[in-house]
Amino acid sequence: MNPMLEVKDLAVTYRGGGRTVPAVRGVDLTLDAGQTLGLAGESGSGKSTLAMSLLRLLPAAAKVTGQVLYQGEDLLTAKWSRMRAVRWAEASVVFQGAMTALNPVHTIGDQLVEPILLHGRRAGEDGGRITDKQARTRAAELLESVGVPARRMRSYPHEFSGGQRQRIMIAMALACRPNLIIADEPTTALDVMVQAQILDLLSDLVHEEGIGVIMISHDLSVLGQMCDRLAVMYAGELVESGPSRQLLDDPRHPYTRALSRAFPTIGDPASRRAPAGLPGDPPDPAALGTGCPFAARCPDVHEICATTPARLVQAGPDRLSACLRVLPGFPDVATAPPVPEPSAEGARS
């Protein structure tokens, strides 16, 4: 069965100020229906740029190359009329900035009803166009499902807290029953109780409706709980991918290991008082050298890491890692036996 979403050699370059900045470099991803993929990494690693490029939501200064195959169709070459149909009706985004994403001069009810009326043919009875009454009923159900009382449909965005607006954004993303949801930090502004409710809602949709979800978060505990698979990004590249539980319990890349140790362990006073961190800052994407981009911060760095590029290779069953240490014969990688390309199954991220 073909995957719902397949990303091949995706690269994004920003142009401005007299220079070009490679924000995403040669990323390959695969997402099946009914699967949740988590994207992890520090700020500036390229997660949001990657996610927004999938639906061509980046500004004109961004140059995007590669392929984004949605149900076999390349969205990067699709006509804008087709992209308009894909957005909302087939794929939707939960944006990170809920405080500014809603229209301040329209009630939230009207903002929820509008896309349902425009793209809601599938929700109508007998395949017909959905009625205004059906759309408002659907909007009320959506609000209730994310913990906002339906009676607030006549309220304006400024009458809600930041966390409530984030819940409304999630309701809007679900309005037209999309096949694909891209969620960029969807629970950051929510308290713990509401966060658990939203994650349960998304999990139910994935399993019951068979939708695919790409979730971006700095919180590895959320990704580990929610996602089937994880992909870790650093300096615009994927550095590791695999089943979420395996990747968090047994990381094969030093960067993934540093991220997983940055959170204190419940019940461990030592880790709570002194959580592990990562020295230094991410590199300037416009000034990357020929070697591993993580070499300057890596606790396990070897002298060859500064000059030898690291690419994703098989690092176990269904695991990929871009670390030279997983190569046979390390550190003499120049004479090591060739590593086979990842299998079709192992390359799924």
Side-chain angles (χ1 to χ4, degrees):
M1 185 177 71
N2 294 329
M4 172 188 291
L5 182 72
E6 190 172 9
V7 178
K8 296 182 178 181
D9 196 26
L10 185 71
V12 180
T13 302
Y14 290 107
R15 295 159 293 180
R19 66 173 191 163
T20 59
V21 179
V24 175
R25 302 180 294 148
V27 169
D28 296 308
L29 290 174
T30 302
L31 179 71
D32 292 326
Q35 186 182 62
T36 304
L37 170 66
L39 284 180
E42 293 173 283
S43 295
S45 60
K47 305 184 305 298
S48 294
T49 292
L50 170 62
M52 295 303 104
S53 68
L54 301 181
L55 296 180
R56 293 164 63 179
L57 295 172
L58 294 176
K63 178 183 178 182
V64 184
T65 60
Q67 288 183 302
V68 178
L69 303 177
Y70 169 70
Q71 297 182 342
E73 177 185 9
D74 190 356
L75 296 183
L76 295 186
T77 58
K79 294 182 179 180
W80 282 110
S81 58
R82 172 58 182 154
M83 287 304 304
R84 185 176 185 274
V86 170
R87 296 168 182 168
W88 280 109
E90 299 181 47
S92 59
V93 182
V94 180
F95 293 102
Q96 190 171 357
M99 295 296 287
T100 56
L102 296 171
N103 192 322
V105 299
H106 292 285
T107 65
I108 62 162
D110 287 344
Q111 293 183 62
L112 276 167
V113 167
E114 181 182 18
I116 298 174
L117 289 174
L118 288 175
H119 306 289
R121 181 176 296 276
R122 288 186 303 164
E125 296 179 0
D126 302 322
R129 176 65 63 184
I130 192 170
T131 66
D132 183 77
K133 181 179 179 180
Q134 289 173 325
R136 294 197 172 275
T137 300
R138 169 73 176 153
E141 292 172 349
L142 286 166
L143 287 178
E144 292 285 351
S145 71
V146 297
V148 177
R151 65 176 184 275
R152 301 292 305 276
M153 285 182 60
R154 294 182 178 274
S155 300
Y156 289 86
H158 71 271
E159 299 178 77
F160 295 89
S161 68
Q164 289 173 319
R165 293 189 212 185
Q166 187 68 45
R167 290 185 243 176
I168 295 166
M169 284 295 300
I170 293 172
M172 291 181 71
L174 301 173
C176 296
R177 297 181 173 90
N179 299 319
L180 171 66
I181 293 178
I182 300 171
D184 190 355
E185 299 279 2
T187 61
T188 300
L190 306 180
D191 58 73
V192 175
M193 297 297 291
V194 176
Q195 174 179 277
Q197 177 186 351
I198 296 301
L199 293 179
D200 287 343
L201 172 64
L202 290 175
S203 295
D204 290 343
L205 285 168
V206 169
H207 295 113
E208 295 174 7
E209 305 292 337
I211 67 174
V213 174
I214 296 177
M215 177 174 286
I216 301 170
S217 179
H218 293 88
D219 192 335
L220 288 182
S221 63
V222 168
L223 294 180
Q225 170 190 348
M226 176 72 187
C227 300
D228 303 303
R229 299 182 61 82
L230 289 183
V232 180
M233 293 191 69
Y234 185 79
E237 296 179 321
L238 287 186
V239 296
E240 187 164 8
S241 67
S244 58
R245 201 66 266 162
Q246 291 183 31
L247 190 140
L248 293 177
D249 292 342
D250 182 26
R252 303 295 172 84
H253 195 284
Y255 180 61
T256 308
R257 187 164 63 248
L259 288 180
S260 63
R261 292 178 178 177
F263 290 85
T265 303
I266 296 176
D268 182 3
S271 69
R272 186 178 71 247
R273 292 167 185 156
L278 190 61
D281 297 311
D284 181 354
L288 294 175
T290 59
C292 174
F294 187 60
R297 307 172 72 193
C298 181
D300 302 324
V301 67
H302 190 278
E303 60 182 10
I304 66 171
C305 299
T307 56
T308 305
R311 62 184 181 88
L312 282 173
V313 295
Q314 209 79 39
D318 208 18
R319 298 284 300 276
L320 299 175
S321 177
C323 180
L324 296 177
R325 289 184 176 273
V326 305
L327 292 170
F330 177 87
D332 191 14
V333 297
T335 60
V339 177
E341 291 293 327
S343 64
E345 185 64 26
R348 286 178 174 254
S349 300

